[in-house]
Amino acid sequence: MEQQHAVTPRPDRASLVGHADGDEPIDVEQAEAALVEHYPRLARLAYLVLPPAPTRGRRVLAAHAVVQRALPRRPGPAATLPAQRGADPAVDPGYALMRLRVLRAALTGRRRWRPPAPLPQVWGLRLFPRSGGADELALDQALSALSGPARAAFVLRDLERLSVQETRRVLEAAGVADAREALAEADGAAVPAGSRDRALLESVEFDPCALQARPTDLIRRRQNSRAALAAGAAVLVCGALLGLPGQGWGPYGAAAPPYARNAAAEAALDPGRLAVSPATAWKTAARPDFSAWPARGDRTGDRALLRRALAVWARPGARVPVTATPGTPVGPSAGPPRLLFAGVVDHAVVVLFHDGLRVVRYAEASDGQGRGDGSGASLDFARTDDATADSAGLLVVNRTEGNVRYLTAPWVTSVRLVDLLKPDAAGESVAVGADGLTAPVPAPRTPENCTRWPALTVGGHLDGQPGGVPGGRSTGELLTDLGELTPARLTYGPPGSPGAVSGSEGRTAWARTACQLPALRSQGVRTVNTWRFAEQPLPGGAGVAAWLCTRAETWRGAGGGALAQFQAPAPSGQRYAAGSVTARAGGGTACGPREPRVLSGVLWKSGGGRWWLLAAGSDRITSITASGGVRGHASGRLLAVPAAAGAHADLKGTVAGGGMVRALR
């Protein structure tokens, strides 16, 4: 129950209509311009201050109604702000006025959830913001526990960045009887990290202008209309009561109504027709990939669970969060998919399917308290077509408290946790259960100072004999989590023949490259290869620098990218310091097998304070020419010429056998 604080409504009468700065009145036109320009910001403020509604869709409509009805109705000078001592002069007075009116309306009318006619009205659609993560959910729950004035204080101070004094004055102007008490309550809110630096408050979870749309029950709506004509209001009431949520998982869980029915679609929803591979199928498979995985987990025989998971996959309800890697279709399976896993993992029940193109993860609460509206269920898609044993070794099963648990391929015999930034460390063994689940391992994080990057070395043998039977093939891969169901495979070597990261050269290269991996999160990355294409003696005998090119390939083919790095000799005490990125290229084929030639340059300052233009190319480049702000030419694939600080140069290289290559960009 929301706490009650006194809020005194203040009508728009002449006594409240003054001047934003004491000199000029704010007229309706200025207020309207501020509303149009800052509409998303005002709508977010209203959404955060309003208490939880029966559904997020109603809260969205209520927030828009509050903002749109906050505009003064009288033409000409119509409204003012109370004196704001110490306020930021850069704040638009029109915006400050609209913020005050929105805040006042949200506080005084906080129980009228149905938006007042005529605006806004939405028929036949359910609108709701995009779902955030666990931190956003925790923040929403913490704000729900506060009173309306305390929520307003929290938002004014931590989203609007007002001082304590300014927050108190705005609250008092909005009609809050005890602004100090509201501020104290806001200070005591138990909110997750990041809530007080805008990071969470500005997320899509709280943006009523970035919406997802789902249809209402079209079939049920038609049926109800026909029933009303045939049997009257009593039948409608009974039908509505039968459809109420909150009675636990129904036979189809969080799935939306079945809009279309045909034999193929029904087969894909039948848990009895799921494909299940024999436990030893991978040993004789022509191509060991996800299709050769057996079904594992303690719930593979739970037909009710499997039926719910298949139905939600085919028709996710309006409140089921759905994620997918770029380029991955999220539609239903064309036929019965393959079951990979079904079981309880930590505090969730997880089901993994594979349909030849995608791996699909369904999860629901393990306490069985799911509701018919979809709360507690989630759905994740990842593209995995053309997978091989090298890229089908692990799948993410669950994430919790900064840790990840994986399901291993049946041919995996060992898993070790390593830190890419410590290539000399042996790492530690990761326990793998009989069901193929690993113990929790830390997920990579992206702090400002990159001090650790967890990865996994995965070993196995494709004939089932780790000793190495003739004719078998050993696997030894380095994998890292980039926030998706399939971890990315890391390799080292020339684009035409990259291999496992095994030697000291490859491990050192990745130790100085790993901190560039955050840029590849959630991009559908399949593999990331890095290779040293040149070494260059530095002027003045300052040592030898390495030039590296790193390329990411995606599961969908398009959307890859490359970057070039200059790795000067590491400073004392920082043996594996990160290199300097000299160029980035999105898309294209640079640094890949189709275009293995690469040229890049950098401005480098020597220990004596002198600036140099350094450039290097791959092994088929025979000369380099610099033009523009720095001019120079060198035969071979290395160039070093004096330069001025901040100079810009164009680089071109000639290729053996004819042709030209430009610097990566």
Side-chain angles (χ1 to χ4, degrees):
M1 181 71 69
E2 186 187 54
Q3 302 177 38
Q4 301 299 310
H5 283 230
V7 178
T8 305
R10 298 190 179 187
D12 291 328
R13 59 184 186 271
S15 62
L16 282 178
V17 190
H19 306 268
D21 55 9
D23 295 322
E24 297 181 1
I26 301 172
D27 58 23
V28 173
E29 289 76 14
Q30 186 178 357
E32 181 181 14
L35 184 145
V36 172
E37 180 180 357
H38 301 290
Y39 187 88
R41 185 173 173 183
L42 292 167
R44 184 186 292 266
L45 184 145
Y47 185 84
L48 286 165
V49 173
L50 286 167
T55 66
R56 291 199 299 165
R58 285 198 183 182
R59 187 174 167 194
V60 164
L61 295 180
H64 284 281
V66 164
V67 175
Q68 294 177 26
R69 294 172 64 86
L71 185 68
R73 300 190 180 188
R74 298 192 304 273
T80 69
L81 293 170
Q84 299 187 41
R85 298 181 300 277
D88 183 359
V91 174
D92 176 11
Y95 170 74
L97 170 69
M98 293 306 302
R99 178 178 63 194
L100 176 60
R101 292 178 63 90
V102 166
L103 192 63
R104 185 182 302 155
L107 289 172
T108 58
R110 60 188 182 278
R111 284 178 181 78
R112 296 178 300 188
W113 284 117
R114 186 173 299 280
L119 53 90
Q121 296 291 330
V122 178
W123 297 93
L125 285 177
R126 295 175 181 153
L127 299 178
F128 50 93
R130 297 181 180 275
S131 298
D135 288 341
E136 286 85 349
L137 178 59
L139 175 58
D140 191 36
Q141 293 173 341
L143 291 177
S144 300
L146 298 177
S147 65
R151 272 194 305 274
F154 189 97
V155 173
L156 288 173
R157 188 188 56 195
D158 296 309
L159 177 65
E160 293 289 296
R161 291 302 191 192
L162 297 185
S163 66
V164 173
Q165 294 78 10
E166 263 309 304
T167 299
R168 188 169 64 249
R169 281 195 287 271
V170 173
L171 288 174
E172 291 170 350
V176 175
D178 194 339
R180 293 181 184 275
E181 182 181 349
L183 279 164
E185 184 182 348
D187 286 336
V191 295
S195 302
R196 302 190 184 277
D197 61 0
R198 290 188 179 180
L200 294 182
L201 289 172
E202 291 185 342
S203 70
V204 295
E205 173 83 12
F206 306 113
D207 186 357
C209 294
L211 301 175
Q212 291 179 306
R214 291 290 186 275
T216 55
D217 288 356
L218 302 177
I219 298 298
R220 187 172 298 173
R221 209 163 63 202
R222 290 179 185 173
Q223 292 172 345
N224 287 347
S225 298
R226 293 168 183 166
L229 294 174
V235 177
L236 287 178
V237 171
C238 294
L241 291 175
L242 289 174
L244 284 175
Q247 303 301 319
W249 293 111
Y252 293 105
Y259 299 115
R261 306 175 76 92
N262 59 58
E266 291 299 322
L269 297 176
D270 184 357
R273 302 185 65 175
L274 285 170
V276 177
S277 297
T280 59
W282 59 274
K283 295 183 179 181
T284 57
R287 189 180 72 182
D289 58 9
F290 296 112
S291 65
W293 283 30
R296 289 169 286 179
D298 57 4
R299 301 284 289 275
T300 55
D302 188 339
R303 294 175 67 90
L305 167 66
L306 299 178
R307 186 180 300 277
R308 286 198 303 273
L310 290 168
V312 173
W313 176 4
R315 307 183 305 275
R319 299 193 64 185
V320 177
V322 178
T323 67
T325 55
T328 304
V330 295
S333 178
R338 186 173 304 276
L339 178 63
L340 303 183
F341 179 85
V344 177
V345 184
D346 301 321
H347 301 294
V349 180
V350 179
V351 183
L352 293 177
F353 298 111
H354 179 251
D355 69 351
L357 173 67
R358 305 161 294 179
V359 165
V360 181
R361 176 184 179 271
Y362 168 84
E364 66 182 38
S366 61
D367 56 10
Q369 297 302 311
R371 301 194 301 271
D373 62 0
S375 300
S378 63
L379 203 59
D380 304 291
F381 294 84
R383 190 164 172 174
T384 58
D385 49 319
D386 199 30
T388 61
D390 297 332
S391 53
L394 297 176
L395 281 177
V396 171
V397 179
N398 202 36
R399 301 178 187 274
T400 179
E401 298 180 351
N403 293 321
V404 185
R405 295 188 69 179
Y406 296 92
L407 181 66
T408 61
W411 54 83
V412 169
T413 57
S414 66
V415 179
R416 295 191 69 81
L417 174 65
V418 298
D419 184 353
L420 291 183
L421 303 188
K422 297 178 180 178
D424 299 328
E428 57 186 271
S429 178
V430 176
V432 180
D435 56 359
L437 287 177
T438 69
V441 296
R445 300 184 180 181
T446 54
E448 292 183 1
N449 53 339
C450 181
T451 57
R452 184 188 187 196
W453 193 275
L456 296 174
T457 57
V458 178
H461 205 275
L462 292 177
D463 63 1
Q465 302 295 327
V469 174
R473 182 164 70 89
S474 298
T475 64
E477 303 300 336
L478 181 63
L479 306 173
T480 191
D481 176 32
L482 293 181
E484 299 170 343
L485 290 179
T486 53
R489 179 187 176 219
L490 307 182
T491 59
Y492 180 80
S497 57
V501 183
S502 55
S504 61
E505 179 179 310
R507 290 194 296 268
T508 299
W510 267 113
R512 303 190 67 180
T513 302
C515 291
Q516 308 300 330
L517 287 172
L520 301 177
R521 282 183 178 274
S522 303
Q523 299 299 312
V525 172
R526 176 176 182 166
T527 61
V528 188
N529 181 59
T530 193
W531 61 295
R532 185 171 62 190
F533 65 86
E535 289 185 326
Q536 183 172 25
L538 297 176
V544 178
W547 288 89
L548 278 76
C549 198
T550 304
R551 179 167 182 84
E553 299 288 357
T554 67
W555 286 96
R556 64 190 183 278
L563 63 84
Q565 290 184 78
F566 173 77
Q567 296 184 350
S572 177
Q574 302 180 44
R575 183 179 177 186
Y576 303 113
S580 300
V581 176
T582 60
R584 295 181 187 270
T589 57
C591 287
R594 294 184 58 189
E595 192 178 342
R597 300 170 301 183
V598 59
L599 172 64
S600 190
V602 69
L603 283 176
W604 176 78
K605 187 178 182 180
S606 68
R610 188 175 184 183
W611 286 93
W612 294 80
L613 170 65
L614 305 179
S618 52
D619 56 4
R620 290 188 57 80
I621 293 178
T622 58
S623 67
I624 301 175
T625 301
S627 59
V630 183
R631 295 183 175 274
H633 177 81
S635 298
R637 57 194 185 106
L638 301 175
L639 171 72
V641 294
H648 294 274
D650 293 324
L651 297 174
K652 297 180 181 178
T654 56
V655 182
M660 180 188 70
V661 61
R662 292 185 177 273
L664 182 69
R665 62 182 62 187

